[in-house]
């Protein structure tokens, strides 16, 4: 085994911070990636076991997604890793090289620079130019072979090519290894792995090292943190990765980290583009981050995956000249604002959002409540035809679901939900409700097998969420979760909402007037700006985004305007809703166009 590779493998010995380092002489080509030198003293290391398992895991478990060459070249261009730069004196880091999609393209550019320099002695000229890390054994070996072939094809002697490959390529867990120095470029496609696929011990070790792992953050989040920490003072990061962290709750600490120390130079939305070799269920975006002292970000959306078009787009995104309107590139100021979700829309839309946030209270501050319907954990047991639920009358409620409001009004299909709670929030005593007891016992296998029931076996018959019967009696606005446009339905028929519906109630605002406000472009604009987008352009109308909507206090709405809002909602007249809302928020003609009004709608 090559001595330099042996040295690198020893370097990635996990327990080195706690136990004596593994000696190079103890490492063999078949040795585990990470191992304990004295297992009899310390016992098996669960982190070691977990990392070794990932080193031989399948594609899905290790989050491997392979990027098209056109996209790789585009990211290299955006990041500035181009042959007109002195690449021989610069350093590039690839945190998870997989099959070599990024690595081999970068090597090609490095070799072109080496050739232009007159091909100085290869090892001395190239050895420090690249570090590339990979945890998967098979991928490491296959890509090492490809790297050696690349180098020998360029005229480098095989022995030197192998030495360079062993110097460049690092076999280990990027989140645990030591890195030698800082890098001018960190480029790649970090793995997309959900936390539940990672062993608890390893996840705990990651959390101890990376403060950006928060809530249900996927593993690409600490990859971004470590990559940014590895940048030189003038370094640039160029990644293609999922965009969920840019707006979701779990991305807050990473967004704050970027805001505190870095600058989002460019963002390219890649959703619904064939950016990868396989069709993956992900929402990719390209980000370019550096330390430049400016708050402007160049933004582009869903480019064609064509080499020539991407080359041209890269020029517009990196040019020092302001891009023309026909380039597809917009300059958006103040995208990064602490831990707040990134607003990557047009500057006009951002200006309107910020103005409304400055001038008006949130929808809950204005006296409205946002909530979500009941989750039972076993709908087949708890939900059925209302008239056929054989329980006591006060143990069931009529239930409204998304399918009941598809026509934009309530068309109840006659379903009901079992209510196992008393008025104080505790579970009812089944002995006092013989019909309910009989009903639940007949379905005990379905109900008691749920996680919530296994955690508290004595409460096996509770629904996941508590049910509040008084909610059914209140007028409310119902809003389905996933929609392309705001779908707001007024309900006043005594129905209880299911968990796939969000609802709004208010003791101050007239709900039909509020319906008109939300049917205008206001609700969609706030949700579109703050939520993550789904494939096909769908949005998540979730409580966390609905709560960001701004509305005036009801007492500040003139009586004549109240009547117009109520009338517009009753007639479902979109133009009338927009015109009333323009007046409600005192919008300028330019703001009205931003909200979605047409030239003919603008006052």
């Amino acid at each position: 085994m090559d001595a330099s590779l042996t040295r690198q493998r020893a370097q990635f010995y996990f327990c080195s911070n706690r136990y004596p380092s593994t000696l190079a002489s103890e490492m063999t080509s078949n040795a585990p990636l990470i191992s304990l030198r004295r297992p009899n003293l310390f016992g098996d290391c669960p982190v070691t076991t977990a990392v070794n398992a990932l080193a031989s895991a399948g594609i899905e478990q290790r989050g491997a997604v392979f990027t098209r060459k056109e996209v790789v070249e585009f990211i290299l261009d955006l990041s500035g890793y181009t042959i007109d730069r002195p690449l021989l004196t610069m350093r590039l880091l690839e945190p998870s090289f997989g099959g070599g999609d990024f690595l081999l393209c970068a090597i090609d550019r490095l070799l072109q620079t080496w050739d232009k320099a007159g091909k100085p002695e290869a090892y001395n000229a190239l050895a420090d130019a690249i570090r590339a890390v990979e945890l998967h054994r098979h991928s490491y070996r296959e890509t090492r072979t490809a790297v050696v072939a690349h180098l020998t094809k360029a005229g480098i002697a095989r022995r030197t090519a192998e030495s360079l490959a062993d110097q460049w390529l690092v076999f280990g867990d990027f989140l645990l290894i030591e890195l030698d120095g800082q890098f001018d470029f960190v480029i790649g496609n970090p793995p997309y792995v959900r936390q539940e696929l990672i062993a608890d011990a390893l996840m705990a070790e990651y959390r101890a090292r990376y403060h950006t792992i928060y809530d249900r953050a996927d593993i690409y989040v600490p990859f971004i943190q470590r990559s940014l920490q590895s940048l030189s003072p003038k370094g640039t990061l160029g990644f293609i990765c999922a965009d969920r962290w840019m707006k979701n709750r779990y991305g807050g600490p990473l967004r704050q980290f970027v805001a505190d120390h870095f600058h989002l130079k460019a963002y390219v939305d890649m959703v619904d583009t064939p950016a990868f070799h396989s069709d993956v269920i992900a929402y990719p975006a390209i980000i370019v981050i550096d330390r430049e002292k400016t708050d402007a970000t160049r933004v582009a959306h869903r480019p064609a995956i064509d080499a020539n078009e991407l080359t041209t787009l890269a020029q517009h995104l990196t040019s020092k000249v302001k891009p023309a309107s026909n380039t597809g590139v917009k300059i958006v100021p103040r995208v990064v604002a602490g831990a707040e979700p990134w607003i990557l829309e047009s500057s006009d839309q951002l200006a309107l959002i910020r103005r409304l946030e400055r001038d008006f209270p949130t929808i809950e501050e204005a006296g409205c409540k946002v909530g979500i319907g009941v989750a039972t954990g076993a709908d087949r047991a708890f939900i059925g035809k209302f008239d056929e639920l054989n329980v006591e009358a006060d143990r069931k409620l009529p239930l409204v679901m998304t399918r009941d409001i598809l026509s934009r009004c309530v068309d109840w299909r006659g379903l009901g939900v079992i209510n196992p709670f008393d008025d104080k929030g505790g579970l009812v005593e089944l002995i006092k409700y013989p019909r309910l007891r009989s009903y639940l016992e007949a379905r005990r296998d379905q109900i008691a097998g749920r996680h919530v029931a296994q955690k508290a076996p004595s409460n096996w018959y509770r629904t996941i969420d508590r049910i509040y019967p008084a909610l059914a009696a209140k007028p409310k606005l119902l809003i389905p979760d996933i929609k392309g446009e705001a779908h707001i339905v007024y309900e006043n028929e005594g129905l209880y909402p299911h968990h796939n519906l969000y609802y709004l109630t208010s003791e101050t605002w007239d709900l039909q007037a509020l319906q008109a406000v939300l049917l205008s472009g206001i609700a969609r604009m706030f949700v579109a700006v703050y939520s993550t987008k789904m494939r096909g352009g769908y949005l998540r109308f979730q409580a966390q985004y609905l709560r960001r909507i701004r509305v005036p206090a009801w007492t500040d709405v003139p009586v004549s305007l109240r009547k117009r809002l109520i009338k517009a909602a009753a007639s479902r007249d979109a133009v009338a809703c927009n015109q009333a809302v323009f007046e409600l928020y005192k919008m300028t003609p330019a703001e009205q166009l931003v909200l979605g009004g047409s030239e003919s709608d603008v006052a």
Side-chain angles (χ1 to χ4, degrees):
M1 184 177 181
D2 185 274
S4 63
L5 182 57
T6 301
R7 172 180 57 76
Q8 289 171 358
R9 292 184 65 129
Q11 180 183 7
F12 310 136
Y13 169 56
F14 162 71
C15 296
S16 61
N17 290 332
R18 302 174 183 173
Y19 314 119
S21 297
T22 299
L23 297 176
S25 60
E26 294 175 333
M27 304 293 283
T28 69
S29 59
N30 295 318
L33 176 62
I34 298 172
S35 61
L36 290 175
R37 184 181 179 192
R38 296 188 286 173
N40 292 335
L41 177 62
F42 296 107
D44 291 335
C45 175
V47 175
T48 298
T49 301
V51 173
N52 283 324
L54 286 176
S56 56
I59 287 177
E60 181 177 352
Q61 187 176 358
R62 69 180 193 272
V65 177
F66 304 109
T67 314
R68 290 187 180 276
K69 188 175 188 298
E70 301 94 324
V71 177
V72 171
E73 301 284 7
F74 179 52
I75 295 172
L76 290 171
D77 288 344
L78 288 178
S79 305
Y81 196 80
T82 53
I83 61 173
D84 59 333
R85 305 285 299 280
L87 301 184
L88 295 182
T89 61
M90 306 178 88
R91 306 186 76 213
L92 179 142
L93 171 65
E94 222 273 68
S96 180
F97 64 73
D101 294 329
F102 282 86
L103 177 61
L104 296 175
C105 287
I107 290 173
D108 283 340
R109 295 188 178 203
L110 178 64
L111 290 176
Q112 289 181 64
T113 306
W114 175 68
D115 184 65
K116 287 170 61 178
K119 295 187 177 181
E121 197 281 321
Y123 188 86
N124 290 335
L126 302 173
D128 204 38
I130 290 176
R131 293 293 182 273
V133 184
E134 179 53 46
L135 175 59
H136 188 243
R137 282 188 177 89
H138 179 73
S139 296
Y140 177 92
R141 291 167 181 156
E142 291 290 311
T143 303
R144 181 184 181 278
T145 299
V147 168
V148 171
H150 248 58
L151 294 175
T152 55
K153 186 177 180 180
I156 296 174
R158 183 171 185 83
R159 188 167 184 175
T160 303
E162 290 180 344
S163 296
L164 281 171
D166 290 337
Q167 181 68 16
W168 287 347
L169 307 187
V170 175
F171 180 43
D173 185 334
F174 177 70
L175 297 179
L176 301 181
I177 65 170
E178 295 180 9
L179 291 170
D180 57 332
Q182 295 180 315
F183 297 88
D184 302 291
F185 306 94
V186 184
I187 296 174
N189 178 4
Y192 187 89
V193 185
R194 299 188 305 275
Q195 284 189 31
E196 53 266 30
L197 296 178
I198 299 174
D200 291 344
L202 181 56
M203 201 65 229
E205 183 62 31
Y206 289 158
R207 286 184 182 277
R209 293 174 182 238
Y210 301 102
H211 75 278
T212 57
I213 303 178
Y214 172 67
D215 196 40
R216 300 304 303 165
D218 292 285
I219 209 64
Y220 64 81
V221 166
F223 259 76
I224 296 173
Q225 178 186 341
R226 178 135 207 231
S227 296
L228 290 171
Q229 290 170 331
S230 302
L231 287 176
S232 65
K234 293 185 178 181
T236 300
L237 175 144
F239 272 3
I240 182 168
C241 62
D243 67 1
R244 308 290 89 176
W245 70 277
M246 301 173 193
K247 293 190 177 183
N248 273 351
R249 181 171 178 266
Y250 71 65
L254 180 55
R255 293 193 297 271
Q256 185 69 61
F257 181 64
V258 173
D260 289 343
H261 306 287
F262 301 94
H263 160 240
L264 179 63
K265 184 176 182 179
Y267 166 88
V268 184
D269 172 15
M270 300 295 285
V271 175
D272 289 333
T273 68
F276 306 110
H277 287 296
S278 58
D279 186 25
V280 294
I281 302 175
Y283 304 92
I286 293 170
I287 52 173
V288 179
I289 298 176
D290 61 14
R291 301 178 193 268
E292 187 179 352
K293 300 298 183 182
T294 178
D295 67 355
T297 300
R298 297 202 175 198
V299 176
H301 293 277
R302 306 184 184 186
I305 307 304
D306 173 83
N308 292 331
E309 291 195 27
L310 290 175
T311 297
T312 301
L313 179 59
Q315 293 169 353
H316 294 312
L317 286 164
T318 58
S319 172
K320 294 181 180 180
V321 178
K322 183 178 179 180
S325 58
N326 62 351
T327 62
V329 175
K330 295 181 179 179
I331 297 179
V332 181
R334 298 180 298 281
V335 169
V336 177
E340 288 293 298
W342 289 359
I343 298 180
L344 294 151
E345 313 303 325
S346 70
S347 56
D348 290 340
Q349 192 173 55
L350 175 58
L352 176 56
I353 286 282
R354 294 294 185 237
R355 202 271 288 178
L356 297 181
E357 289 176 338
R358 184 190 68 231
D359 293 351
F360 298 95
T362 66
I363 197 166
E364 290 196 322
E365 290 170 343
C368 305
K369 178 183 177 181
V370 180
I372 188 172
V374 60
T376 70
D379 281 358
R380 290 186 178 181
F382 285 102
I383 296 173
K385 286 289 186 180
F386 183 80
D387 293 338
E388 298 174 9
L389 291 174
N390 189 19
V391 297
E392 288 76 8
D394 63 341
R395 293 299 94 209
K396 60 183 179 179
L397 291 164
L399 184 75
V400 60
M401 303 179 76
T402 297
R403 289 180 60 188
D404 296 314
I405 61 171
L406 293 178
S407 64
R408 297 187 179 271
C409 61
V410 178
D411 185 13
W412 184 49
R413 293 175 298 134
L415 296 179
V417 62
I418 299 293
N419 178 18
F421 294 93
D422 61 27
D423 293 340
K424 296 181 179 180
L427 292 172
V428 297
E429 297 179 41
L430 293 181
I431 195 170
K432 296 180 179 180
Y433 291 90
R435 289 166 61 191
L436 175 64
R437 179 179 182 178
S438 176
Y439 179 94
L440 294 172
E441 287 289 357
R443 296 159 179 80
R444 188 177 185 118
D445 288 347
Q446 299 176 55
I447 298 171
R450 299 168 303 148
H451 178 67
V452 67
Q454 293 176 345
K455 282 176 57 180
S458 62
N459 295 337
W460 64 274
Y461 55 96
R462 65 161 294 154
T463 52
I464 292 176
D465 299 322
R466 179 183 167 185
I467 293 176
Y468 300 85
L471 175 61
K474 288 185 176 182
K476 61 189 79 71
L477 298 179
L478 301 174
I479 308 169
D481 180 357
I482 302 175
K483 284 288 181 181
E485 300 290 339
H487 187 95
I488 318 293
V489 176
Y490 178 73
E491 188 277 313
N492 191 24
E493 300 178 18
L495 304 176
Y496 201 92
H498 189 234
H499 74 89
N500 53 8
L501 288 173
Y502 292 88
Y503 64 83
L504 277 162
T505 59
S506 182
E507 301 297 330
T508 56
W509 261 83
D510 181 286
L511 285 179
Q512 290 176 299
L514 185 61
Q515 183 185 20
V517 174
L518 300 182
L519 284 172
S520 75
I522 284 291
R524 191 188 191 286
M525 181 180 70
F526 271 93
V527 172
V529 161
Y530 281 111
S531 80
T532 53
K533 292 181 177 62
M534 310 293 288
R535 284 194 171 188
Y538 289 97
L539 301 172
R540 303 298 304 270
F541 285 81
Q542 296 176 320
Q544 60 181 313
Y545 309 126
L546 294 171
R547 291 189 178 108
R548 289 186 173 272
I549 297 172
R550 302 297 177 120
V551 296
W554 181 243
T555 54
D556 293 337
V557 182
V559 173
S560 60
L561 187 52
R562 294 180 184 184
K563 293 178 179 178
R564 286 175 55 198
L565 287 167
I566 294 170
K567 181 180 179 181
S571 63
R572 288 177 172 70
D573 185 333
V575 173
C577 288
N578 271 343
Q579 290 177 339
V581 165
F582 296 159
E583 182 177 337
L584 180 70
Y585 291 96
K586 298 180 173 60
M587 290 187 181
T588 66
E591 288 177 333
Q592 295 174 30
L593 289 173
V594 170
L595 189 64
S598 65
E599 296 286 353
S600 60
D601 295 337
V602 174

